[in-house]
Amino acid sequence: MNKLLLSAVAALALASGPVLAQPTDILNASYDIARELFEAENAAYAATGATVTINQSHAGSSAQARAVLEGLQADVVTFNQVTDVQKLVEGGYVSEDWTSDFPNNAAPFYSFPSFLVRSGNPKAIKDWGDLAAEGVQVIFPNPKTSGNGRYTYLAARAWATEAYAGDEAKIEEFLTKLFANVPVFETGGRAATTAFTERQLGDVLVTFEAETLAVVKQLGADKYEAVVPSVSFLSEFPVAVVDKVVDARGSRDLAKAYLDFLFTPEGQEVAAANFHRPQDATVAAAHAATFPEIRLVTVEDAFGGWDKVAADHFADGGLLDKVFVNQ
Amino acid sequence: MAQHRSKHLLPGFGLSMGISLFYLTLIILLPLAAMLLKVAGMGFPEFWRIVSSNRALAAYRVTFSSAFIATIINGVVGLLLAWVLTRYRFPGRRILDALVDLPFALPTAVAGLVLVTLFADTGWYGQFLEPNGIKVNYTQLGIIAAMTFTSIPFVVRAVQPVLEEVDVDFESVATTLGASRWQVFTRIIWPTILPAFIGGCVLSFARSLGEFGAVVFIAGNLPGLTEIVSLLIFIRLEEYNYEGAAALAFVLLVVAFLTLIATNLLAAWQVRYVERQT
Amino acid sequence: MSLSAQRSIGANVLIGLSFVFVALALVVPLALIFSFALREGLGAYFDAILKPDTLHAIFLTVITAVIVVPINMVVGAALAWLVTRFKFRGQQLLVAIIELPAAVSPIVAGIVYLFLYGNQGLLGPLLQSIGLQIMFTPLAIVLVSLFVTAPYVARELVPLMRQQGTDDEEAALSLGANGWQMFLRVTLPNIRWGLVYGAVLTNARVMGEFGAVSVVSGSIRGQTNTLPLQINLLFNDFNIAGSFAAASTLALIAVITLVLKSMLESWERR
């Protein structure tokens, strides 16, 4: 019994204590719907001969940022929104110039908020305007905890800005109606998906195109249809090395090499196969059939950059709080 | 403390006090203090704004009303089971007795997973209920079902030992003296088991208020309709709204503490009660 | 008392009702777990259980229980000894504090630990400066498990020891036994079934804890996922069969717990 206890304590110490020797594993803290994507990316990375073990943790992107700030020992973060990495910069966990560490502002792939409806599209949902109609139930995750949910807010606002020619009163009226149509705000993107698929809540799920295509593939085209709106919001998924953690663990090279892989043609191919739109033009061309044309507005064009979005929209008492009546 | 110790022959006061205080401080009091500091740091107006917000009020209403109904169900069923288990000998009694504790042994997350599957529209129960317009999953009924399941044993286990102590001879004497069965029950048995029954109900209610694992699976988690307090705390935490989480957690903590005081008072009452009876 | 000889119709109705309730509320749910876990055959079942992440979750859950149960047995015995053998100021308060973890929502349990050991918590920055990480490690899971099961052993022992009184122990002392001899030879044999009973309940709760653990675990696959978290994770991965397979291991432990408990009770009576 004593021996057993001792080995148990030893195992615990091993698992929790600081690792002094050269680490052989790194932790990737990631967003909720990227479960299958990174399982595939990690397998492909191992196939290139890399011996490092990649551990995975998935939850809402912002919840993950909070966890890292509270001490989650993530070597790399693969979030779905720049503002979440920015929180780590403010906390001193990630260097100021993280966007220049990797190509394309450190975003290996992108997606955008899109729609998933039940087979036959019974409520005839085609575009953002239909989501605010009376009697339509919309599911998307909580914008306070999920980058996915915040992108939905931004995309809806971008559409409304065009549709109502910038009339702020009308934009807010539309957004208020849209938010009032949401019966439940799950904390992560995947939880929102299961609410829509397993719990059969809502008429339309708004989530990343990547998730809508994956659901159609996994649960059947006879049950669900992906609908692409007329316009959406470019959602680039940023990656960063968590300096504070890799410096303490001595895992910087491992972390950097892993993130580099995501930008290689192999890494891009895996992303595309998992319905994340690749940045690599050749890989994108090869998968053109999967990804329909869509007009995407950028954060710079529509809102003047992420800093301005964070200050005007997502800060406490900001524009998001004005329409997020359900809190 | 020295004068207390000298009153006792038995050793180990220092050691057991040392272990207890060390453990209580490290494992229970220190973490609680961290939360109380958080609450104390926010100021009363802010605290009040959070705990009296519409969404919080709705969450209290859902949580308390569901726990109340679950407790009533478990009160009735618990009394029935305790009675049957102590008063009758029949085949399968031992198994019945053992099964009552299942909700204590089965993890709440598993309970939630099972209930949500049972009551799904194609589930073993749901297929009969849904056509009749009874929807359990993702409604308040689901919350009540989860709370009822997880607190089945409390009333049974509180009443059972007391019921075993009630003198059967006393009852038969009463019966021979012409008392009806109902009179025997209301005049003799019910007063004796009442404190234990209430105690069991209080524990059952407290457990239901705090239940999380089973409820989140089956509740729709819709703010204002099927969102329980524990879940609201969890959401506030994920939102990085620590003040909100701490304030609501403090409310639950106070309710838990009041429940404990109530149970202890009941226990004391029960002791006096039994002494008076004998 | 010839209760079983001539049962009235009313009694039979009550017994029948009890069986119906227990069958619908307890037996059917239990059966459903195994039925769903085995629906795709034994091969698929073992594939699901033997997946590295699930295996690790089982390992972590067992390790946690192996650490928490003995600690809470020792502390529970000490607490029960203190409360039943001595009278001191603050006794009631002590009892109330030890009971608190069982009365409060497990989410609250998780939160108080986050506020203490998180990097923005009370002690987090201090611990961080000496390189000790508690949040999101197995150590945090052990700590919250200690918290939520703190009262279980004492709760079983206190009524038992109060009822037994101190006569045996005082006799042992007057015959010249020292404190430890008295405890090992007299007290321990008297309370052993209660102690084991408390341990069995502690074990069941530790293995099944979900709310508190989900706050402090960080949900790292194959590292800080306990079995209940793994069940939730598999469910959200659309892997319903895998989720039930994992659940069935916990249900099996629950059944073993019930059998053990029932055996202990009959030994106790003898």
Side-chain angles (χ1 to χ4, degrees):
Chain A
M1 184 68 190
N2 266 341
K3 220 172 152 191
L4 193 69
L5 207 70
L6 216 65
S7 60
V9 172
L12 195 76
L14 264 179
S16 59
V19 185
L20 296 174
Q22 179 66 28
T24 58
D25 64 325
I26 57 173
L27 172 60
N28 173 10
S30 190
Y31 54 100
D32 209 19
I33 67 151
R35 299 153 182 250
E36 293 79 14
L37 169 65
F38 281 102
E39 210 164 285
E41 291 282 7
N42 296 348
Y45 187 47
T48 65
T51 53
V52 60
T53 309
I54 317 284
N55 293 308
Q56 287 299 131
S57 167
H58 292 281
S61 192
S62 311
Q64 291 289 53
R66 179 187 65 80
V68 173
L69 288 174
E70 286 289 6
L72 183 67
Q73 297 290 293
D75 302 90
V76 301
V77 291
T78 52
F79 287 164
N80 61 27
Q81 199 163 86
V82 169
T83 49
D84 292 327
V85 185
Q86 217 57 44
K87 270 191 214 153
L88 299 186
V89 175
E90 284 160 25
Y93 283 74
V94 168
S95 67
E96 293 271 355
D97 56 351
W98 62 277
T99 49
S100 56
D101 286 352
F102 297 95
N104 193 47
N105 286 330
F109 23 75
Y110 68 99
S111 196
F112 56 85
S114 190
F115 306 159
L116 184 73
V117 298
R118 303 193 190 284
S119 166
N121 197 357
K123 297 266 165 116
I125 290 155
K126 298 274 177 236
D127 209 350
W128 294 99
D130 302 327
L131 303 185
E134 218 159 290
V136 172
Q137 286 209 320
V138 187
I139 303 287
F140 58 86
N142 187 336
K144 295 267 177 182
T145 58
S146 157
N148 193 334
R150 278 198 304 278
Y151 275 124
T152 297
Y153 162 81
L154 292 173
R157 183 173 259 281
W159 173 86
T161 306
E162 290 178 9
Y164 302 115
D167 183 338
E168 184 59 28
K170 281 190 175 155
I171 297 172
E172 272 177 29
E173 189 193 336
F174 161 74
L175 287 171
T176 306
K177 276 190 194 158
L178 168 62
F179 273 72
N181 276 351
V182 181
V184 54
F185 289 100
E186 294 290 349
T187 54
R190 181 50 63 82
T193 305
T194 45
F196 185 71
T197 59
E198 301 293 320
R199 290 156 52 181
Q200 295 289 314
L201 291 173
D203 303 305
V204 51
L205 170 73
V206 186
T207 187
F208 293 127
E209 180 202 36
E211 180 83 338
T212 64
L213 296 177
V215 170
V216 170
K217 182 186 167 200
Q218 195 154 5
L219 302 179
D222 54 329
K223 289 190 188 127
Y224 301 101
E225 288 171 26
V227 173
V228 180
S230 66
V231 61
S232 193
F233 189 84
L234 174 67
S235 314
E236 291 188 296
F237 297 165
V239 302
V241 171
V242 184
D243 295 291
K244 213 170 178 174
V245 174
V246 294
D247 289 344
R249 296 185 68 224
S251 54
R252 178 176 291 279
D253 294 345
L254 291 176
K256 177 90 169 62
Y258 173 63
L259 291 184
D260 277 336
F261 170 75
L262 300 177
F263 294 88
T264 64
E266 293 95 323
Q268 294 280 297
E269 176 61 37
V270 173
N274 283 277
F275 308 114
H276 284 63
R277 295 195 177 205
Q279 302 281 12
D280 185 300
T282 327
V283 178
H287 287 269
T290 315
F291 302 119
E293 286 283 324
I294 166 98
R295 186 165 61 87
L296 295 176
V297 297
T298 67
V299 69
E300 283 76 21
D301 292 348
F303 302 105
W306 281 117
D307 289 343
K308 207 161 152 33
V309 167
D312 295 352
H313 295 267
F314 300 150
D316 271 335
L319 288 167
L320 170 63
D321 280 359
K322 261 185 156 173
V323 296
F324 192 16
V325 288
N326 227 334
Q327 64 168 333
Chain B
M1 292 261 167
Q3 79 272 22
H4 290 292
R5 197 185 332 189
S6 60
K7 276 189 209 153
H8 288 273
L9 276 169
L10 296 172
F13 180 80
L15 181 66
S16 59
M17 181 63 106
I19 293 177
S20 301
L21 285 185
F22 175 75
Y23 184 85
L24 287 184
T25 306
L26 200 69
I27 297 295
I28 301 180
L29 292 177
L30 200 60
L32 288 183
M35 192 191 81
L36 294 181
L37 274 179
K38 200 100 190 170
V39 175
M42 74 176 68
F44 187 75
E46 175 68 1
F47 172 80
W48 188 250
R49 190 185 63 73
I50 294 167
V51 301
S52 65
S53 73
N54 282 337
R55 186 157 166 197
L57 292 178
Y60 304 143
R61 195 167 54 238
V62 171
T63 312
F64 280 76
S65 64
S66 308
F68 187 70
I69 296 169
T71 305
I72 289 177
I73 297 172
N74 276 335
V76 174
V77 174
L79 207 55
L80 168 73
L81 284 171
W83 178 264
V84 166
L85 287 172
T86 49
R87 286 310 161 104
Y88 309 125
R89 296 289 172 271
F90 51 91
R93 197 185 70 94
R94 281 280 301 278
I95 296 175
L96 202 65
D97 195 21
L99 274 171
V100 166
D101 280 326
L102 181 71
F104 282 170
L106 195 71
T108 55
V110 177
L113 182 67
V114 170
L115 290 174
V116 82
T117 314
L118 273 178
F119 289 111
D121 52 2
T122 54
W124 292 0
Y125 292 169
Q127 58 180 318
F128 302 111
L129 297 175
E130 296 249 328
N132 295 310
I134 302 173
K135 204 162 160 28
V136 177
N137 280 0
Y138 317 120
T139 67
Q140 197 178 356
L141 273 184
I143 301 176
I144 295 169
M147 286 178 172
T148 306
F149 179 88
T150 49
S151 54
I152 286 172
F154 284 105
V155 172
V156 186
R157 293 306 181 224
V159 173
Q160 220 176 347
V162 185
L163 209 49
E164 258 160 20
E165 300 286 311
V166 178
D167 201 335
V168 178
D169 291 338
F170 195 48
E171 287 171 39
S172 37
V173 169
T175 314
T176 47
L177 288 175
S180 73
R181 282 165 173 279
W182 184 243
Q183 279 174 325
V184 171
F185 184 79
T186 52
R187 300 271 172 81
I188 299 174
I189 300 172
W190 180 244
T192 316
I193 62 172
L194 184 63
F197 175 73
I198 296 175
C201 285
V202 171
L203 283 178
S204 170
F205 186 69
R207 171 66 196 262
S208 294
L209 286 185
E211 184 47 45
F212 177 74
V215 174
V216 285
F217 271 88
I218 196 166
N221 307 333
L222 314 186
L225 290 174
T226 52
E227 181 177 69
I228 55 166
V229 183
S230 297
L231 181 76
L232 183 55
I233 296 174
F234 191 69
I235 289 174
R236 290 291 181 243
L237 189 72
E238 298 258 289
E239 287 177 1
Y240 211 166
N241 180 350
Y242 283 7
E243 269 74 28
L248 291 166
F250 180 75
V251 171
L252 281 192
L253 195 70
V254 169
V255 172
F257 205 72
L258 291 178
T259 314
L260 283 178
I261 291 172
T263 353
N264 284 349
L265 288 177
L266 271 170
W269 178 39
Q270 185 172 11
V271 170
R272 267 181 284 133
Y273 206 88
V274 171
E275 276 164 2
R276 220 185 315 145
Q277 298 266 311
T278 47
Chain C
M1 51 182 214
S2 51
L3 286 168
S4 58
Q6 333 133 314
R7 262 198 316 259
S8 65
I9 298 171
N12 280 329
V13 168
L14 293 182
I15 294 171
L17 275 177
S18 302
F19 270 107
V20 169
F21 177 80
V22 169
L24 286 180
L26 300 169
V27 179
V28 170
L30 197 58
L32 178 126
I33 300 172
F34 293 103
S35 152
F36 271 63
L38 294 169
R39 202 159 50 166
E40 283 163 34
L42 266 181
Y45 176 76
F46 282 108
D47 279 352
I49 299 263
L50 295 177
K51 275 184 82 172
D53 286 358
T54 303
L55 266 186
H56 188 277
I58 295 174
F59 170 76
L60 179 62
T61 304
V62 170
I63 288 285
T64 306
V66 165
I67 296 169
V68 170
V69 173
I71 293 178
N72 273 347
M73 280 170 83
V74 171
V75 175
L79 270 164
W81 181 258
L82 182 69
V83 171
T84 59
R85 296 304 186 245
F86 307 102
K87 283 216 181 306
F88 54 92
R89 228 169 290 144
Q91 194 159 6
Q92 286 302 319
L93 188 67
L94 192 84
V95 173
I97 291 171
I98 188 76
E99 278 284 339
L100 200 55
V104 81
S105 166
I107 284 297
V108 176
I111 282 197
V112 297
Y113 271 86
L114 181 73
F115 287 163
L116 185 62
Y117 293 118
N119 279 356
Q120 297 160 48
L122 200 58
L123 295 183
L126 185 77
L127 294 169
Q128 203 187 12
S129 67
I130 58 168
L132 187 62
Q133 177 65 34
I134 292 181
M135 269 326 269
F136 309 117
T137 69
L139 187 56
I141 295 174
V142 168
L143 286 172
V144 292
S145 301
L146 283 172
F147 180 94
V148 294
T149 57
Y152 281 52
V153 172
R155 197 189 258 174
E156 292 303 321
L157 291 184
V158 167
L160 184 68
M161 287 169 74
R162 197 164 268 155
Q163 183 204 340
Q164 283 172 349
T166 58
D167 294 351
D168 289 358
E169 281 139 5
E170 281 168 17
L173 288 178
S174 64
L175 289 173
N178 69 28
W180 283 115
Q181 285 169 328
M182 172 214 69
F183 182 76
L184 292 176
R185 307 245 174 94
V186 179
T187 312
L188 205 54
N190 277 344
I191 63 167
R192 63 187 159 175
W193 296 130
L195 194 61
V196 175
Y197 190 61
V200 168
L201 289 180
T202 305
N203 183 61
R205 176 72 196 263
V206 169
M207 290 198 163
E209 182 48 40
F210 176 75
V213 171
S214 69
V215 175
V216 302
S217 122
S219 297
I220 307 166
R221 297 175 173 224
Q223 285 209 343
T224 61
N225 255 349
T226 60
L227 257 180
L229 295 182
Q230 183 71 12
I231 292 169
N232 188 36
L233 185 144
L234 290 169
F235 186 74
N236 273 333
D237 280 356
F238 304 120
N239 186 350
I240 311 291
S243 146
F244 270 99
S248 74
T249 58
L250 283 171
L252 197 65
I253 292 167
V255 172
I256 294 171
T257 304
L258 292 187
V259 172
L260 267 180
K261 205 171 156 290
S262 164
M263 277 161 58
L264 284 170
E265 272 166 348
S266 61
W267 281 333
E268 214 177 339
R269 268 190 216 118
R270 264 185 243 152

